[in-house]
Amino acid sequence: MDTRAIYPGSFDPVTNGHIDLIHRSAAVFDTVVVAILHNAGKTPFFSIEERTEMLLEAIRGIKNVSVTSFEGLLVDFVEQIGASVIIRGIRAVSDYEYELQMALMNRRLSNKVETVFMLPAESYSFLSSRLVKEISQLGGSIHGLVPEDVEKRLSSRFRIK
Ligand code: PNS
């Protein structure tokens, strides 16, 4: 039976660290669904539509990966799309505590899903969407940390303000 994995997150915006993980997951699982959290209670920097566009551009050419968005409980969405694995990236030990808590809570909510932790390339271990936005806003270079399309969107957004 095919194993479908979901890679959930805010992706606000997608970074090269996320893309690295998508490639690694696509090599391990039959299909990978990148799922963007649509959280009505939070104001993201990029809209769902923009985040979807950036991710679609990033995964172009990877045959077994698709992009979607979801609201509500992750485990409910996992079941809805017929996935059995949740992929989460661990960059450093500091990520582990939060990720462990989420993984165990998701396991409590559904015993049909397994969380698999994957490690991005070491060169991205310091990378986060939050830092990328901050650096871009302050005029620093984010070249090589995000796809070119994302780099352009960030700089044009900050230049307008
Ligand atoms: O990239 P992020 O922001 O760290 O991703 C967090 C995400 C989207 C995986 C997490 O917030 C999530 O799963 N939210 C959906 C709501 C939910 O299921 N909450 C209970 C988690 S134990």
Side-chain angles (χ1 to χ4, degrees):
M1 204 183 86
D2 281 3
T3 305
R4 167 168 285 190
I6 183 168
Y7 179 33
S10 304
F11 304 105
D12 190 27
V14 61
T15 68
N16 286 348
H18 295 128
I19 297 168
D20 178 80
L21 223 73
I22 292 171
H23 281 279
R24 288 174 198 280
S25 317
V28 173
F29 299 101
D30 296 301
T31 54
V32 176
V33 178
V34 181
I36 311 167
L37 175 66
H38 184 52
N39 186 346
K42 259 189 170 178
T43 313
F45 187 76
F46 288 109
S47 68
I48 274 285
E49 291 74 24
E50 289 172 299
R51 284 181 278 162
T52 306
E53 280 168 20
M54 289 184 274
L55 270 162
L56 282 175
E57 175 66 28
I59 62 150
R60 211 146 48 106
I62 321 177
K63 284 200 179 75
N64 57 339
V65 179
S66 59
V67 177
T68 189
S69 61
F70 75 104
E71 276 180 276
L73 273 184
L74 176 60
V75 289
D76 289 343
F77 188 66
V78 168
E79 197 161 333
Q80 202 181 305
I81 64 164
S84 54
V85 172
I86 297 172
I87 295 160
R88 292 290 290 171
I90 302 248
R91 291 163 297 189
V93 176
S94 51
D95 282 337
Y96 182 69
E97 216 165 321
Y98 169 62
E99 293 299 335
L100 175 72
Q101 195 182 8
M102 270 211 301
L104 293 178
M105 188 59 89
N106 281 329
R107 182 185 279 171
R108 193 194 140 94
L109 292 168
S110 166
N111 58 13
K112 292 187 209 132
V113 58
E114 285 297 336
T115 298
V116 170
F117 294 139
M118 294 187 83
L119 311 178
E122 290 131 84
S123 47
Y124 299 131
S125 59
F126 55 87
L127 182 52
S128 73
S129 300
R130 183 183 63 79
L131 278 182
V132 159
K133 282 179 281 194
E134 186 174 315
I135 292 163
S136 180
Q137 180 169 24
L138 298 172
S141 170
I142 51 166
H143 191 71
L145 300 180
V146 293
E148 269 180 35
D149 161 51
V150 176
E151 197 179 335
K152 279 190 202 135
R153 284 180 195 247
L154 276 166
S155 61
S156 68
R157 187 74 93 79
F158 286 125
R159 256 189 274 123
I160 289 162
K161 279 188 182 165

